[in-house]
């Protein structure tokens, strides 16, 4: 795998060449992955996970591989990881959702497919933690299910960085600093 390739999974409704994907392209990286729109978005959740798993095993299964995923894209990656040995490359997850969350004030609720699977894998120690994984979440990010994410990361041995005063969107300044160091 060329060191300038990145497998990117954006959040719900995300495209590879917009937002963070565009920032990666501007840094000279070749961005591959799955947009969470169009035909891929119409697949069942199980088929989405299988597609990501196949992508990773076929084209990114090396110690030099880099995966970056945000929000729902991170959720897809974590579920794909459940179906594989620990990923051998480097993984950066930004604002990963964990399956279900409820807004503390409005009561708005997110409930993703297989919402209990990741927390359970963390609790039972059955999550195959990638060789190098780093997670960033805002301390005010109710969508990520922060308590569940904290518990999961602790149980799975995943490094979790909490961005003070940040919500689900960590902000260009924060993400730029993370990318400058991580890349």
């Amino acid at each position: 795998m060329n060191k300038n390739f990145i497998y990117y999974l954006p959040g719900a409704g995300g495209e590879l060449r917009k937002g963070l994907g565009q920032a990666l392209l501007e840094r000279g990286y070749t961005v591959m992955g799955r947009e969470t729109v169009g035909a891929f978005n119409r697949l069942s959740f199980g088929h989405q996970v299988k597609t990501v798993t196949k992508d990773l095993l076929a084209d990114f299964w090396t110690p030099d591989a880099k995966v970056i995923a945000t929000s729902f894209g991170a959720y897809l990656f974590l579920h794909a990881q459940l179906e594989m040995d620990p990923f051998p490359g480097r993984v950066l997850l930004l604002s990963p959702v964990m399956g279900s969350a409820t807004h503390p004030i409005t009561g708005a609720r997110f409930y993703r497919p297989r919402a209990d699977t990741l927390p359970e894998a963390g609790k039972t120690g059955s999550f195959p933690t990638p060789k190098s994984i780093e997670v960033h979440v805002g301390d005010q990010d109710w969508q990520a299910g922060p308590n569940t994410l904290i518990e999961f990361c602790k149980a799975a041995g995943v490094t979790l960085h909490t961005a003070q005063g940040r919500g689900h969107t960590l902000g260009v300044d924060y993400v730029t600093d993370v990318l400058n160091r991580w890349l």
Side-chain angles (χ1 to χ4, degrees), residues 3-11 15-16 18-25 27 29-36 52 56 60 64-78 87 89-96 132-136 170 175-176 178-183:
K3 67 179 181 173
N4 285 328
F5 282 78
I6 291 179
Y7 188 81
Y8 174 50
L9 291 167
E15 298 178 39
L16 295 180
K18 292 186 178 177
L20 179 56
Q22 179 62 36
L24 294 169
L25 290 167
R27 289 171 178 255
Y29 287 91
T30 300
V31 177
M32 301 170 71
R34 295 288 169 172
E35 296 181 331
T36 52
V52 170
L56 293 168
F60 286 87
D64 295 336
K66 294 179 191 78
V67 172
I68 298 177
T70 61
S71 190
F72 182 68
Y75 190 66
L76 287 169
F77 172 81
L78 292 169
F87 185 74
R90 296 176 63 222
V91 179
L92 175 63
L93 304 181
L94 304 171
S95 302
S132 174
I133 182 170
E134 183 175 310
V135 177
H136 293 261
L170 292 168
V175 173
T176 298
V178 170
L179 292 177
N180 287 342
R181 182 187 46 74
W182 193 82
L183 291 170

Side-chain angles (χ1 to χ4, degrees), residues 95-97 136-146 166-170:
S95 302
V97 296
H136 293 261
V137 67
D139 69 339
Q140 298 173 17
D141 182 358
W142 68 271
Q143 294 176 52
R166 307 285 177 145
H168 194 63
T169 301
L170 292 168

Side-chain angles (χ1 to χ4, degrees), residues 156-179:
V158 172
T159 302
L160 176 64
H161 301 271
T162 304
Q164 300 304 310
R166 307 285 177 145
H168 194 63
T169 301
L170 292 168
V172 172
D173 60 329
Y174 184 89
V175 173
T176 298
D177 288 344
V178 170
L179 292 177

Side-chain angles (χ1 to χ4, degrees), residues 46-120:
H47 282 103
Q48 290 174 343
V49 170
K50 286 188 186 315
T51 300
V52 170
T53 302
K54 287 178 186 177
D55 289 349
L56 293 168
L57 290 171
D59 299 320
F60 286 87
W61 202 257
T62 71
D64 295 336
K66 294 179 191 78
V67 172
I68 298 177
T70 61
S71 190
F72 182 68
Y75 190 66
L76 287 169
F77 172 81
L78 292 169
H79 277 273
Q81 180 59 82
L82 286 169
E83 299 185 10
M84 303 179 290
D85 289 332
F87 185 74
R90 296 176 63 222
V91 179
L92 175 63
L93 304 181
L94 304 171
S95 302
V97 296
M98 289 305 296
S100 66
T102 304
H103 191 281
I105 297 170
T106 66
R109 187 160 191 231
F110 284 127
Y111 193 84
R112 299 288 184 187
R114 303 182 192 171
D116 299 327
T117 303
L118 291 171
E120 186 62 26

